[in-house]
Amino acid sequence: MEKELVIVLDFGGQYNQLVARRVRECNVYCEIYSYKTDISKIKKMNPKGIILTGGPNSCYEEGAPTYSKELFEMGIPVLGLCYGAQLMMHVLGGKVETAPVREYGKIEVSVNQKSPLFTDVSEKTICWMSHNDYISNVAPGFEICANTADCPVAAAQNPEQKLYAIQFHPEVLHTVEGMKMLSNFVYNVCHCSGDWKMDAFVESQIQAIREKVGNGKVLLALSGGVDSSVLAALLSRAIGKQLTCVFVDHGLLRKNEGDEVEQVFGKGGTFDLNFVRVNAQERYYKKLEGVTEPESKRKIIGEEFIRVFEEEAKKIGAVDFLAQGTIYPDVVESGLGGESAVIKSHHNVGGLPDYVDFKEIIEPLRDLFKDEVRKVGLELGLPEYLVFRQPFPGPGLGIRIIGEVTAEKVRIVQDADFIYREEIAKAGLDKEINQYFAALTNMRSVGVMGDERTYDYAVALRAVKTIDFMTAESAEIPWSVLQTVMNRIINEVKGVNRVFYDLTSKPPGTIEFE
Ligand code: XMP
């Protein structure tokens, strides 16, 4: 059976991935493509619907991203959002120009509830607007189906041609009934059946992995992070002992983390696989001796990982497949998917390690967003603490210890971080904050404890709220929680006499300290 698909054509808007995620939340599979994608390719994919994203340009300017009229004439439903809405009007003979009043923020929109887009949506509803241009005249055949005080065309439709244009952003949570509108589009207009469900995905992937792998051997570098853990669980369910996971404990993990990973995947755990734990702590500390420069630390940690992994791979011998935990945002951000590509150096898409003797790469999570990977993890019976683990950088605590890394400093930052995480969870803030951790500054200062003078380290606490980790705000944590954390760290962690809270947003700061 052909997979039901809605495609997002990306015109460079910042919410491109969010649009696709929202469609998938409606249980409809959705992929992102650049607006430069050829029409013949789109026809071949035979999507149930097409969504055009926002973008930073003015559609009437020369050289602005556009699409041929044919896109709107295939009989496939099209929904244009913001720039996508303006472009639809522009291409089909309407008029777009600079708005006399620029709209930005939460704005009340009046909708025509008879429109299939607005079924069960309140007549007046709050939506997120962000535009300089506006549609001053709809294209022939279109009728206006929503407006605001300043925007005569907040939405327009041509139901006969199955074409819909929305000036605001239904994909962002500030648009209170946005999910309803997107769901209306995929169900009422595209007539999707909603067959994208995680339990079905798990079943079909297990089948596909078995078919692809046959009797072959698979090797996976397990980091203990969400993606590689879910991948290990999925592969284990599919092929059991044909899978070998190598878990390198570089001594820069969070407190107890190495043992937790071993408990789940090692002997006596819930998964059937070959699990190899390499305790490389001392080796890493030795390599990092005297190294203070952040990028050098990253490089050494990365290179050492390759060396350790290579040694283990040699012991295992040739394998047929190397499994990688690539997920959909990695694919999109590597420029293989949408248009607003941001290439992150620590993403490893397409880069094949040449130090392992293998024939082929398999990436069973390649189509999934992070929240979907988590759902798969829960389906497979992984514990919640693993599935909802916060992002943790590959170089680990190595980049949360400013200056030289030593075993002693690792102990301090692990213990402080453990206390911080425990108190944040106790205060019920762990689901609200996207990333939080303790770091060890390289600053030592004078303090007094009991009757004694101390000369100890300062721990810095960081907590951020972010959607995409590209920008972030420092989270507001109640003073009382911070004070409890401070008291506990100073009392329980030897070697610390001050605790700082980092207020810096990103930019100008980064989320990590190095
Ligand atoms: P920054 O510090 O760049 O972090 O604001 C953004 C996100 O990326 C993670 N991060 C890394 N992840 N290797 C990784 O695998 C790295 O070298 C690295 N540096 C930062 C960071 O934890 C945050 O989620």
Side-chain angles (χ1 to χ4, degrees):
M1 199 184 71
E2 201 175 297
K3 187 152 76 176
E4 192 173 77
L5 170 73
V6 164
I7 65 169
V8 167
L9 277 189
D10 182 5
F11 286 86
Q14 55 178 327
Y15 304 128
N16 62 351
Q17 292 198 24
L18 205 49
V19 177
R21 266 175 59 189
R22 296 280 179 253
V23 172
R24 290 195 191 185
E25 280 169 27
C26 302
N27 297 326
V28 174
Y29 185 64
C30 183
E31 286 181 350
I32 303 165
Y33 292 92
S34 162
Y35 72 91
K36 292 174 189 149
T37 307
D38 202 72
I39 191 100
S40 59
K41 188 170 169 190
I42 294 179
K43 279 186 186 154
K44 215 157 147 206
M45 288 190 269
N46 192 23
K48 299 283 282 186
I50 300 169
I51 301 180
L52 316 181
T53 72
N57 300 78
S58 283
C59 63
Y60 46 80
E61 273 172 7
E62 211 174 305
T66 187
Y67 211 97
S68 72
K69 209 171 164 193
E70 210 186 332
L71 184 75
F72 307 102
E73 296 169 344
M74 298 189 290
I76 299 174
V78 183
L79 171 65
L81 304 178
C82 197
Y83 182 84
Q86 295 167 2
L87 184 75
M88 182 187 288
M89 291 302 130
H90 180 70
V91 169
L92 296 177
K95 193 161 172 60
V96 177
E97 53 194 324
T98 310
V101 182
R102 177 176 179 263
E103 281 182 313
Y104 183 83
K106 294 180 193 174
I107 308 241
E108 188 180 79
V109 177
S110 308
V111 307
N112 177 354
Q113 293 165 308
K114 291 202 186 90
S115 160
L117 275 189
F118 300 126
T119 310
D120 295 332
V121 171
S122 322
E123 200 174 351
K124 289 193 187 303
T125 183
I126 298 295
C127 301
W128 182 256
M129 285 280 192
S130 170
H131 63 115
N132 293 321
D133 289 342
Y134 82 133
I135 299 162
S136 51
N137 266 319
V138 297
F142 278 80
E143 63 198 2
I144 295 171
C145 54
N147 67 284
T148 73
D150 291 313
C151 181
V153 189
Q157 62 179 13
N158 181 340
E160 234 163 71
Q161 308 285 327
K162 301 184 220 153
L163 303 178
Y164 295 84
I166 297 183
Q167 177 59 72
F168 51 87
H169 288 278
E171 69 275 22
V172 304
L173 289 176
H174 300 306
T175 298
V176 180
E177 294 176 275
M179 264 307 278
K180 183 84 229 164
M181 297 170 197
L182 289 172
S183 159
N184 281 343
F185 177 69
V186 296
Y187 287 109
N188 299 354
V189 180
C190 305
H191 302 295
C192 291
S193 66
D195 60 1
W196 177 247
K197 303 220 172 89
M198 283 306 114
D199 50 349
F201 172 86
V202 169
E203 282 314 309
S204 70
Q205 270 305 308
I206 288 178
Q207 256 339 94
I209 292 167
R210 282 183 186 150
E211 271 166 38
K212 176 147 193 174
V213 171
N215 296 321
K217 280 209 252 176
V218 181
L219 179 62
L220 167 67
L222 177 64
S223 71
V226 179
D227 304 339
S228 70
S229 298
V230 172
L231 183 53
L234 182 64
L235 287 166
S236 154
R237 292 277 188 253
I239 54 165
K241 286 242 163 19
Q242 285 165 261
L243 168 69
T244 301
C245 288
V246 174
F247 168 58
V248 178
D249 187 340
H250 53 22
L252 302 165
L253 297 168
R254 284 163 290 192
K255 189 171 175 163
N256 302 336
E257 198 166 16
D259 296 340
E260 283 169 7
V261 172
E262 186 166 352
Q263 255 169 34
V264 174
F265 294 105
K267 271 207 181 73
T270 34
F271 292 92
D272 181 32
L273 51 91
N274 297 306
F275 176 81
V276 180
R277 174 173 178 172
V278 189
N279 288 312
Q281 293 92 329
E282 293 311 321
R283 215 174 137 158
Y284 273 87
Y285 297 158
K286 192 122 206 71
K287 282 270 165 196
L288 288 168
E289 243 170 48
V291 184
T292 55
E293 207 275 316
E295 282 307 303
S296 308
K297 284 198 228 168
R298 268 202 173 77
K299 219 166 144 220
I300 290 170
I301 297 168
E303 279 171 3
E304 201 54 19
F305 175 80
I306 291 177
R307 234 155 269 143
V308 176
F309 193 65
E310 185 177 28
E311 282 168 25
E312 290 309 311
K314 281 215 179 93
K315 287 185 205 158
I316 293 161
V319 293
D320 302 280
F321 298 91
L322 184 70
Q324 288 196 335
T326 313
I327 68 170
Y328 198 52
D330 303 335
V331 175
V332 175
E333 285 164 18
S334 300
L336 302 176
E339 187 53 30
S340 26
V342 185
I343 298 168
K344 282 201 211 158
S345 62
H346 45 258
H347 286 150
N348 197 18
V349 181
L352 303 187
D354 53 10
Y355 51 86
V356 178
D357 188 0
F358 70 98
K359 292 193 200 114
E360 215 182 312
I361 291 266
I362 48 169
E363 299 174 310
L365 306 179
R366 203 185 155 84
D367 289 338
L368 303 187
F369 283 111
K370 195 80 171 189
D371 33 354
E372 294 173 318
V373 173
R374 294 200 160 105
K375 281 187 199 150
V376 168
L378 293 176
E379 282 286 329
L380 290 165
L382 280 173
E384 288 208 3
Y385 68 81
L386 254 182
V387 168
F388 292 100
R389 185 158 269 178
Q390 12 169 350
F392 186 65
L397 302 180
I399 57 170
R400 291 182 183 170
I401 292 170
I402 300 173
E404 189 188 10
V405 175
T406 63
E408 167 72 355
K409 285 183 178 172
V410 170
R411 184 216 27 106
I412 293 178
V413 78
Q414 276 181 340
D415 287 347
D417 183 67
F418 188 79
I419 291 168
Y420 185 34
R421 283 189 286 137
E422 204 168 65
E423 292 300 327
I424 289 285
K426 250 194 239 163
L429 298 169
D430 51 336
K431 296 259 151 52
E432 276 171 40
I433 304 174
N434 303 95
Q435 197 169 352
Y436 55 98
F437 56 85
L440 189 61
T441 73
N442 209 18
M443 183 192 108
R444 291 173 80 191
S445 64
V446 173
V448 52
M449 216 169 171
D451 289 329
E452 285 194 33
R453 177 186 182 278
T454 56
Y455 185 59
D456 283 333
Y457 285 108
V459 159
L461 304 176
R462 182 92 168 119
V464 295
K465 287 198 169 184
T466 172
I467 295 174
D468 55 8
F469 295 88
M470 306 285 176
T471 60
E473 295 291 332
S474 170
E476 261 186 58
I477 297 179
W479 194 246
S480 58
V481 176
L482 287 174
Q483 262 181 330
T484 306
V485 176
M486 179 272 293
N487 273 326
R488 280 196 58 195
I489 290 178
I490 292 193
N491 286 328
E492 297 173 36
V493 186
K494 198 166 162 283
V496 180
N497 67 357
R498 279 174 208 262
V499 175
F500 297 149
Y501 186 68
D502 184 357
L503 289 177
T504 325
S505 57
K506 173 185 178 177
T510 55
I511 294 174
E512 300 291 346
F513 279 68
E514 293 201 329

